[in-house]
Amino acid sequence: MTDNFLSRRSLFGAFATMATPVILNGIPALAWAQSAAPTPPPLAVYGKLPTISKVALSPDGTRVCLAMNKDGGIVMYDYDLTTGKTAAAAIDGDKIRDLMWADNKSIFVTTSKTSKFGADQIEEWLGFIIDVHAGRRYQLYSEQKDFRAVIFGDIRRIKVNGGYRITASNFSASGYGITTEINTALYGFTTEGHRGFLIDEDGRRINNWVIRYDGTLVARSEYDDDKHVWSLRYRTEKGWRNIYEVKAELDMPYLSGLGRDGQSVLLYMNDGDLKDKYVEVTPDGVFKTIDIDGATHWPIFHPTTFNLVGFGNTSGIAEFVFYDPVFAQLPKLVKGAVGDIHADLAGFAEDPLHVLVFVQGEGNSGTYYAIDFRKGGYKEIGQSYPDLPMEWVADKAPYAYKAADGLEIPGFLTLPVDREAKNLALVVLPHGGPEAYEDSSFDFLSQALSSRGYAVLQPNYRGSAGYGSAFTASGYGQFGRRMQTDLSDGVRALVKAGKVDPKRVAIFGGSYGGYAALAGVSIDPGVYNCAVSLAGISDIKAFMAHELEWQGYKGDSHTMRYWRRFLGDESRWDEISPVKHIDAIKVPVLLIHGKDDTVVPFEQSTIMYNAMQKAGKSVELVQLKQEDHWMSREPTRIQTVESAVGFLMKHNPPV
């Protein structure tokens, strides 16, 4: 542990005398003064939503807004860092997805809700401007004709004629039946009076816009899903000029934002000679390649100019690359403040030297700090899991091994804190996606399992993102095949190293990981004592039929093509569908699924449950009421953790 770790040492050197912890309604934001806990906390402590789920810093750096989970509901706090004044407002029933300041006194909140759309369920995203002190709340697009009061993206804070605005995109629908016209639109909304004004609208399917801080349109990208053509257009005095287009069956470019000079735009290239590169494109269509690995980096833009200032990656702040001289100071400043512990830049004021930093690791489940490197001072904002004793936060360490074909599989291994790393019971916990990745951040499921004595392996199997396009491509056509054996190869590596008992191994995953749990006991049997599938796919053909019904385009939409790339030959989908291999299942299975899941239909679990029951197999089904695909509600998160861990301890006991 580093001597300047800021939760316990002489914090920030000269800053320490200015340090002030934030107190919200009498609740200390930080709770490090904990007595030693000889036994692990209840599973509900791990299953709870983070006490602080979202934090944002106001443009002038004087205020912080927080979304806090309190007494089963969401409370928004507006805290003045200079005066200590606090205001709060309950957000009943909403699932908060993002948070930012609309101006220096109003908050912009993105929420979502599950709604009916014909016979289907959809997850709708909503935007609200909230003045907590005044008790006012306004929903974007609620007063725009021909629009549902929902949002689709392109959310920014801009400053027009001295006043702040919030932008958001949507789709308008005018007319009826076959005469209906669907347009993509971008509106801006004032923070006082809440008047919406049109920025751009077109019948073309616009992916996203690039806009300057003053509200000036720069460029937009479009995709024609019928012709499979991606286009880049620049805004001119005469309208939109097409400067680049490319045939893109799947891997289309992505328009990220402004380039470093504020005139060019930044593209991420997903295919061709420039694959995995970021390029700056001038208004004349000249391409300039940036020397950075785009597959493992993401761009960072200035909070006021919106110009590209640098890149970060999943390795942490020490790996950031900055071009802007002010931002270039941050890695050294943050490391000087927190040491070598993992620290993320979680937000900026308009002055980028006034930042939010999120610290985790070394017993810290995650703590937010507001730091003013310009004036010298910091405030402790709060901790994600204040009820979780530090001694029960296990180390999540990188762990790599070789698959059977020699491919190196990166991942993470969490070992229990209260026993020797020898002949342990193991839970394999694959991530969802599949084109996603596991990182070193705090994970409530692995921590809950570790607290009960399990080693937890979280592999980044082939097909995962974050390790380059070649690694992702190695998973194409390997859904349920080598993507699956990558997991059991990890088990064999741990057994060979003496860390794991081969007779005490289970598998538990959500989404694609839920599919992998079912496949692990049906397609790749003999490795696991039991399986827990959370929102997993069981029948590939039924799932794809649902996607086809929803996506349309005669089965040739971008989404359908994406899935087929991973799934491989359609004639062989039954080979990788767990429900088609019920006879091979010899161990107990627990199915957990949210009734409001709009990604993997709840039907996927009932299909598996009914088939296993009919075959006389050991199976249980837990239905999560009012829960979506992302485990957004606290009661059902706790229910999931308690049900899953209880099932695992019964059928794959750690001792």
Side-chain angles (χ1 to χ4, degrees):
M1 186 159 309
T2 54
D3 286 341
N4 57 349
F5 176 44
L6 57 81
S7 67
R8 303 172 214 167
R9 302 297 189 219
S10 179
L11 307 183
F12 295 97
F15 291 175
T17 57
M18 305 177 219
T20 306
V22 175
I23 305 295
L24 299 175
N25 282 7
I27 302 173
L30 215 58
W32 283 108
Q34 300 163 329
S35 58
T39 59
L43 289 171
V45 171
Y46 296 94
K48 285 182 179 180
L49 289 168
T51 298
I52 297 177
S53 57
K54 301 291 179 183
V55 181
L57 191 60
S58 65
D60 62 9
T62 64
R63 291 160 79 168
V64 171
C65 59
L66 306 92
M68 297 189 68
N69 297 287
K70 187 176 179 184
D71 300 327
I74 303 294
V75 179
M76 300 295 304
Y77 284 96
D78 177 343
Y79 176 79
D80 192 312
L81 294 169
T82 57
T83 67
K85 185 178 179 181
T86 302
I91 310 293
D92 294 330
D94 289 339
K95 295 179 282 189
I96 292 185
R97 301 304 186 189
D98 209 352
L99 186 67
M100 62 184 286
W101 284 85
D103 56 21
N104 283 307
K105 67 176 184 178
S106 300
I107 299 165
F108 180 73
V109 181
T110 303
T111 72
S112 78
K113 67 176 181 178
T114 308
S115 304
K116 278 286 186 181
F117 188 80
D120 293 310
Q121 290 188 127
I122 61 172
E123 194 74 11
E124 293 190 310
W125 298 74
L126 318 172
F128 297 92
I129 296 174
I130 301 174
D131 186 328
V132 176
H133 287 273
R136 292 196 300 264
R137 169 171 162 158
Y138 171 75
Q139 185 173 355
L140 270 57
Y141 284 101
S142 61
E143 299 176 12
Q144 268 51 58
K145 184 182 177 181
D146 297 327
F147 288 92
R148 284 177 61 81
V150 298
I151 58 176
F152 283 86
D154 299 281
I155 299 165
R156 300 176 183 86
R157 181 181 62 237
I158 59 176
K159 198 170 188 179
V160 181
N161 298 325
Y164 291 99
R165 308 283 190 270
I166 293 293
T167 68
S169 60
N170 202 341
F171 292 94
S172 67
S174 59
Y176 299 92
I178 61 174
T179 64
T180 301
E181 295 182 5
I182 306 294
N183 290 344
T184 314
L186 180 67
Y187 269 72
F189 297 87
T190 61
T191 59
E192 293 187 9
H194 311 303
R195 180 176 59 87
F197 61 93
L198 180 66
I199 298 175
D200 190 31
E201 184 172 10
D202 205 308
R204 297 182 176 92
R205 183 62 181 263
I206 301 168
N207 284 13
N208 58 328
W209 286 265
V210 172
I211 188 170
R212 293 193 178 92
Y213 194 61
D214 64 1
T216 305
L217 286 168
V218 179
R220 75 188 195 196
S221 63
E222 303 165 7
Y223 186 68
D224 188 324
D225 212 347
D226 290 319
K227 298 179 180 178
H228 306 169
V229 173
W230 185 92
S231 303
L232 173 64
R233 297 178 185 268
Y234 266 83
R235 183 71 173 180
T236 70
E237 293 180 356
K238 297 181 180 180
W240 291 101
R241 179 166 58 91
N242 193 0
I243 67 162
Y244 174 67
E245 68 179 30
V246 63
K247 190 82 170 179
E249 298 286 337
L250 273 170
D251 300 312
M252 65 185 75
Y254 180 75
L255 179 59
S256 301
L258 283 170
R260 288 170 288 188
D261 61 4
Q263 302 300 317
S264 60
V265 295
L266 183 70
L267 296 186
Y268 173 64
M269 307 302 288
N270 266 307
D271 205 359
D273 294 338
L274 294 174
K275 185 177 179 65
D276 293 335
K277 293 292 185 183
Y278 280 99
V279 297
E280 292 171 305
V281 186
T282 71
D284 297 323
V286 177
F287 279 55
K288 182 179 180 181
T289 304
I290 297 176
D291 185 20
I292 201 157
D293 180 6
T296 57
H297 288 77
W298 44 270
I300 302 171
F301 299 97
H302 197 284
T304 57
T305 67
F306 290 176
N307 293 2
L308 174 70
V309 295
F311 291 91
N313 66 17
T314 56
S315 297
I317 194 168
E319 301 298 325
F320 287 8
V321 175
F322 287 118
Y323 310 117
D324 181 276
V326 176
F327 276 82
Q329 301 175 57
L330 286 172
K332 184 177 180 180
L333 289 171
V334 173
K335 185 174 182 179
V338 306
D340 293 327
I341 195 170
H342 184 87
D344 291 319
L345 295 171
F348 303 93
E350 289 183 334
D351 178 357
L353 289 184
H354 199 163
V355 299
L356 285 173
V357 174
F358 183 63
V359 174
Q360 58 184 329
E362 297 191 17
N364 190 339
S365 60
T367 307
Y368 292 94
Y369 296 87
I371 310 175
D372 187 348
F373 288 116
R374 182 80 65 184
K375 297 179 181 178
Y378 80 96
K379 295 283 179 74
E380 302 169 349
I381 303 303
Q383 192 177 354
S384 298
Y385 292 88
D387 296 331
L388 180 56
M390 58 172 290
E391 58 266 33
W392 287 102
V393 178
D395 183 30
K396 185 178 179 182
Y399 185 82
Y401 57 90
K402 295 285 187 181
D405 64 353
L407 181 67
E408 181 170 275
I409 306 299
F412 291 87
L413 180 64
T414 304
L415 298 173
V417 299
D418 59 341
R419 59 196 67 192
E420 184 183 0
K422 183 179 180 180
N423 291 325
L424 296 168
L426 173 69
V427 177
V428 179
L429 188 63
H431 63 73
E435 195 175 344
Y437 61 91
E438 190 63 54
D439 62 20
S440 61
S441 60
F442 178 90
D443 172 70
F444 75 98
L445 286 176
S446 63
Q447 292 293 329
L449 291 164
S450 170
S451 74
R452 266 52 189 176
Y454 292 105
V456 183
L457 177 64
Q458 295 175 274
N460 283 311
Y461 45 81
R462 72 189 70 208
S464 299
Y467 295 90
S469 59
F471 188 80
T472 301
S474 67
Y476 296 164
Q478 296 302 319
F479 200 103
R481 298 179 176 91
R482 286 184 175 175
M483 286 168 61
Q484 188 66 38
T485 55
D486 285 348
L487 308 181
S488 50
D489 286 339
V491 175
R492 286 180 275 273
L494 287 170
V495 169
K496 185 177 181 180
K499 296 180 183 294
V500 164
D501 181 351
K503 296 180 180 180
R504 293 187 294 152
V505 180
I507 185 168
F508 171 22
S511 193
Y512 174 81
Y515 162 81
L518 296 178
V521 296
S522 60
I523 298 169
D524 187 22
V527 181
Y528 308 105
N529 287 331
C530 60
V532 180
S533 172
L534 172 61
I537 297 171
S538 65
D539 188 328
I540 302 295
K541 286 183 177 178
F543 174 76
M544 291 296 283
H546 173 270
E547 289 290 289
L548 174 60
E549 181 182 2
W550 180 248
Q551 296 292 331
Y553 291 97
K554 298 180 181 179
D556 194 36
S557 70
H558 183 271
T559 299
M560 296 293 286
R561 296 194 301 276
Y562 173 85
W563 276 113
R564 287 193 178 101
R565 180 160 69 179
F566 275 99
L567 292 170
D569 184 356
E570 183 172 351
S571 67
R572 300 181 62 191
W573 286 354
D574 281 354
E575 295 178 14
I576 55 172
S577 293
V579 76
K580 303 299 182 181
H581 302 274
I582 297 296
D583 289 345
I585 301 176
K586 309 297 183 185
V587 299
V589 172
L590 174 63
L591 304 163
I592 307 175
H593 213 130
K595 293 285 287 183
D596 288 353
D597 194 329
T598 59
V599 179
V600 176
F602 180 77
E603 177 191 35
Q604 286 289 314
S605 284
T606 59
I607 289 172
M608 191 71 182
Y609 178 74
N610 292 335
M612 288 190 67
Q613 270 211 325
K614 185 177 180 180
K617 304 293 182 176
S618 176
V619 61
E620 301 174 38
L621 174 61
V622 174
Q623 302 181 31
L624 306 177
K625 296 180 179 179
Q626 295 184 306
E627 185 55 87
D628 55 31
H629 191 69
W630 306 281
M631 301 300 298
S632 301
R633 299 193 182 280
E634 183 165 284
T636 40
R637 274 198 16 154
I638 293 173
Q639 182 184 6
T640 296
V641 172
E642 291 179 340
S643 299
V645 176
F647 178 87
L648 291 167
M649 293 184 72
K650 177 181 179 181
H651 298 291
N652 189 57
V655 292

